[in-house]
Amino acid sequence: MQWTRFKEGIRDSIELKERLLADEALLRCVNQVAEECVKALRAGHKILWCGNGGSAADAQHLAGELSGRFYYDRPPLSSEALHGNGAYLTAVANDYGYDEVFARMVAAVGQADDVLIALTTSGNSPNILRALARADEMDLKTVCLTGSTGGKVAQQKCDYLLCVPSTDTPRIQECHMLLGHLLCEIIEAELFPKKV
């Protein structure tokens, strides 16, 4: 076994998280996103999520943390991953092209003042770019978690852009989950303060 590689991978992950911890602007932005989500949910709006591949799995995981529970039992929150319906996804991909799968679902279920959170390590996925553009047209709040450069997302309107300072896809995804879990924790605690 390559013990050296295991240690390098763990060290790389720790170093990247230390860079996140030192990035005050990024942490302030995460806090602002949490505030937007709390505001939306308090007003009866919802949090929508999207991503491709591993980012789709992460988006679905985070949606479930809010609609189910995170740290403790409390009422469910309106939070949904846009790719959860396989029949819809394959029909739209077949009839309109894969680039439209998220934008079309935003048009179907999104409302002004909902929040769309997109995960893309490259920032270049056409279906993510189209979903963010559609959400902007419909006055949803838009959030994108991406890698160091932000890719094409950085050139398009997005209310909150959270760029993890890395180009290493697995390490970026690990940080997206860390930031996503922190969002879920803050949202849950703000909406349902635990009685001491």
Side-chain angles (χ1 to χ4, degrees):
M1 287 292 199
Q2 294 189 10
W3 289 108
T4 305
R5 185 59 205 128
F6 290 141
K7 289 183 176 181
E8 285 173 4
I10 293 168
R11 192 175 301 112
D12 290 347
S13 185
I14 291 168
E15 287 173 2
L16 180 54
K17 289 174 177 75
E18 286 176 343
R19 287 202 303 267
L20 285 182
L21 184 60
D23 190 338
E24 291 292 327
L26 179 78
L27 296 178
R28 275 193 300 276
C29 192
V30 173
N31 192 60
Q32 291 173 321
V33 170
E35 288 173 0
E36 287 287 358
C37 291
V38 167
K39 180 177 157 188
L41 290 164
R42 277 194 175 130
H45 297 290
K46 58 192 160 296
I47 312 299
L48 302 174
W49 303 78
C50 62
N52 294 294
S55 295
D58 293 344
Q60 196 161 4
H61 176 139
L62 294 166
E65 300 285 26
L66 293 178
S67 60
R69 57 166 283 175
F70 191 62
Y71 268 119
Y72 47 85
D73 289 330
R74 40 84 178 158
L77 296 167
S78 185
S79 179
E80 177 182 355
L82 298 180
H83 58 277
N85 182 333
Y88 162 84
L89 194 71
T90 55
V92 171
N94 185 62
D95 295 345
Y96 297 94
Y98 191 66
D99 292 354
E100 285 298 314
V101 294
F102 299 138
R104 194 158 176 84
M105 186 57 89
V106 167
V109 301
Q111 296 177 344
D113 298 322
D114 286 348
V115 178
L116 173 65
I117 302 178
L119 287 74
T120 167
T121 58
S122 69
N124 295 323
S125 303
N127 59 357
I128 297 290
L129 295 166
R130 289 189 188 197
L132 289 167
R134 181 68 53 82
D136 181 55
E137 290 167 8
M138 296 173 61
D139 293 322
L140 280 75
K141 296 294 179 187
T142 54
V143 181
C144 190
L145 284 76
T146 186
S148 61
T149 68
K152 292 179 182 175
V153 169
Q155 280 94 52
Q156 136 174 6
K157 185 179 180 303
C158 185
D159 295 310
Y160 300 97
L161 182 61
L162 303 172
C163 298
V164 171
S166 176
T167 57
D168 185 337
T169 297
R171 302 292 86 86
I172 295 167
Q173 289 174 326
E174 290 165 12
C175 289
H176 285 177
M177 283 305 297
L178 173 62
L179 296 174
H181 275 153
L182 291 170
L183 281 174
C184 292
E185 181 178 355
I186 294 165
I187 291 165
E188 182 175 73
E190 284 292 316
L191 290 171
F192 306 103
K194 202 165 184 184
K195 295 180 177 74
V196 182

